[in-house]
Amino acid sequence: MINGIGRELPDKIGNYIVKPYIDAYSTPPSPYPVVSQRVMRRLQPGEKKLLPNLRIAVEASGLKDGMTISFHHCFREGDKIISQVLTVIKELGIKNLCFAPSAVVNLDESSIVDFIKDGTITRIEASGIRGELGDAILQGALEEPVILRPHGSRPRAIEAGELKLDVAFIGASAADDFGNCTGQIGKNVCGALGYSFTDAMNARCVVVVTDNLVEYPCIPTSISQQYVDYVVKVDSIGDSEKIGSGATRQSKRPRDLVIAKRCADLIASSRRFQNGFSFQTGAGAISIATTNYLASKMEERGIKASFALGGIPSVIIDMYDKGLVRSVMCSQSFDEIASKAISTRPGVVEIDNADYSNAFTKGGFLNKEDFGILGALEIDTEFNVNILTGITGNMMGGLGGGPDVAASAAISIVTVPIIRGRIPAIVKRVQTVCEPGETIAAVVTELGISINPKHRHYHELKEDLESTGLPLISIEELQLKAESLTGTPEPIQEKDRIVCIVEYRDGTVLDVIREREL
């Protein structure tokens, strides 16, 4: 069958029944009851939750062959919990697990691939896979295809019963012996624990792992004791200095600065740029530069934002400290400064990822967002965005919250150079569709701004920009210019077997990724 963006899909992939993507907004949600795996039990007088080590905690959790385990990715590349837990599980001889973290980020500990090779992990459901793990998946390391979901679809899938969590392992920089925990204080802070809230509320068993046991009750508390079954103290849960890992630096490249300034100019030219507007810029070199240019525009005009949203870097905290932003809603903290800001600034607030990005609620922060700034590996002449696969076919990133921001922000803007090295970023057809073109309002490049005529706010944005003198250019012209500089890339050689399923935020399928030689 053919889905709404023209991608050919099978009716079924193994045991996975394909629901084809139709469009970004009118696809009705499947009727489903809210499903929780959480076991209700009454704690007996004197019963203790604090256990001596991870091995005993895994045994107490009742984890068996074939079950599903989850983790959050708030420590990003500094995470040390996943490898410790998987090593214990391997030692216990537990096999055929579904590994379902909120995301997979490059880890400096034991490779996830090793746990696939020995049969500990046989299924993966996540936001993205990359590095050695991504290469292994693309070369057919797993029998079943990996299911990739954007951040907003994960809580939807858990509540719908599509992803049933048996044991959730939640890393916390501080916890008490009864399970109250946080990521805001301690020697290895990660800030917001927003991506673990859904796990805590829905998993059959919840194990909090910390390297900082504090006196009861733990204050502040991000996750309450009422959701936690067991607590374990280990030597180290992570390295907070590696949370950013260079992602929050500002670019010094003239090309990137041109793009960033032009993006800020676009925002400042919009009728929505007024007191009380809201925005999200994220991390990444161009995004950080855009944030700084935007702050200058706000200071010049005396404009203050009502809120900034999403994964928060330190530059947003700087804007808060200057009084440019009234409140900062953090689903994730992108560096050490942002991690500590929640506990030191009253207007910097930790939020549940579901409240940030789950489309199937009665409303979340994204529904109120004016501007969302996004990056891309490539974008095509239909404005479809690829943030997963590189030109060589390897896995380069994760879906993250990009599809959610693109669909929900009033004006969604992709910032991208037309080429990177000798690789075009504006193409006729993206390798993998991650964000459907109809949800992208504009693309900002070093050569100009392309407005999407199929976007719901096209006429508004076109009217706002036409009188500004900003360079407007069609997406087709950008694609031709990119190709003239790089030539036409050779198509990637794919096999028939599907190794990854790319879901949209509503659970329909946008695209698939097939096995390939790297």
Side-chain angles (χ1 to χ4, degrees), residues 246 260 383:
F383 288 85

Side-chain angles (χ1 to χ4, degrees), residues 212-448:
N212 181 32
L213 204 62
V214 298
E215 184 179 357
Y216 181 90
C218 175
I219 301 295
T221 295
S222 299
I223 294 174
S224 167
Q225 58 202 2
Q226 66 171 315
Y227 300 115
V228 177
D229 293 273
Y230 305 110
V231 180
V232 177
K233 184 179 183 297
V234 297
D235 291 336
S236 178
I237 56 171
D239 183 350
S240 59
E241 292 185 359
K242 293 185 178 180
I243 291 175
S245 291
T248 55
R249 62 175 176 82
Q250 176 171 324
S251 176
K252 295 181 180 179
R253 292 181 178 179
R255 178 197 65 183
D256 292 351
L257 296 179
V258 167
I259 296 171
K261 185 178 184 302
R262 190 164 286 160
C263 182
D265 288 340
L266 185 160
I267 294 172
S269 300
S270 168
R271 68 192 68 182
R272 297 174 186 270
F273 187 63
Q274 55 183 292
N275 279 322
F277 84 100
S278 56
F279 70 97
Q280 176 175 348
T281 53
I286 296 177
S287 293
I288 298 301
T290 300
T291 307
N292 285 326
Y293 283 125
L294 182 62
S296 297
K297 297 278 187 186
M298 293 168 68
E299 288 180 303
E300 289 170 9
R301 298 195 195 178
I303 289 176
K304 296 183 179 180
S306 58
F307 68 89
L309 178 63
I312 301 299
S314 59
V315 289
I316 298 293
I317 304 303
D318 291 340
M319 292 178 71
Y320 173 84
D321 290 341
K322 292 177 181 178
L324 297 175
V325 181
R326 183 170 62 86
S327 53
V328 179
M329 318 311 292
C330 305
S331 61
Q332 184 179 182
S333 306
F334 278 144
D335 53 49
E336 192 170 2
I337 291 173
S339 298
K340 295 177 178 178
I342 301 171
S343 62
T344 57
R345 296 160 174 85
V348 181
V349 182
E350 177 181 40
I351 62 170
D352 184 346
N353 173 49
D355 202 10
Y356 161 48
S357 56
N358 185 0
F360 293 101
T361 68
K362 295 179 181 179
F365 287 103
L366 276 177
N367 296 101
K368 302 285 285 182
E369 186 170 86
D370 291 305
F371 301 99
I373 313 302
L374 302 164
L377 291 173
E378 56 180 10
I379 186 166
D380 66 23
T381 52
E382 295 295 323
F383 288 85
N384 296 310
V385 173
N386 172 22
I387 48 180
L388 280 175
T389 49
I391 192 68
T392 58
N394 57 326
M395 299 291 293
M396 297 288 290
L399 292 172
D404 306 299
V405 175
S408 300
I411 306 295
S412 55
I413 306 166
V414 174
T415 58
V416 63
I418 65 165
I419 64 171
R420 292 187 177 94
R422 297 295 299 172
I423 299 172
I426 313 293
V427 297
K428 289 183 179 179
R429 175 182 166 92
V430 293
Q431 294 176 51
T432 307
V433 177
C434 304
E435 297 162 17
E438 65 183 296
T439 65
I440 304 301
V443 176
V444 179
T445 73
E446 68 272 34
L447 295 186

Side-chain angles (χ1 to χ4, degrees), residues 86 96-97 99 112 115-116 118-124 142:
L86 288 176
N96 300 321
L97 296 180
F99 178 58
I112 304 300
F115 298 102
I116 292 175
D118 64 29
T120 304
I121 294 170
T122 54
R123 292 176 294 133
I124 296 177
L142 289 176

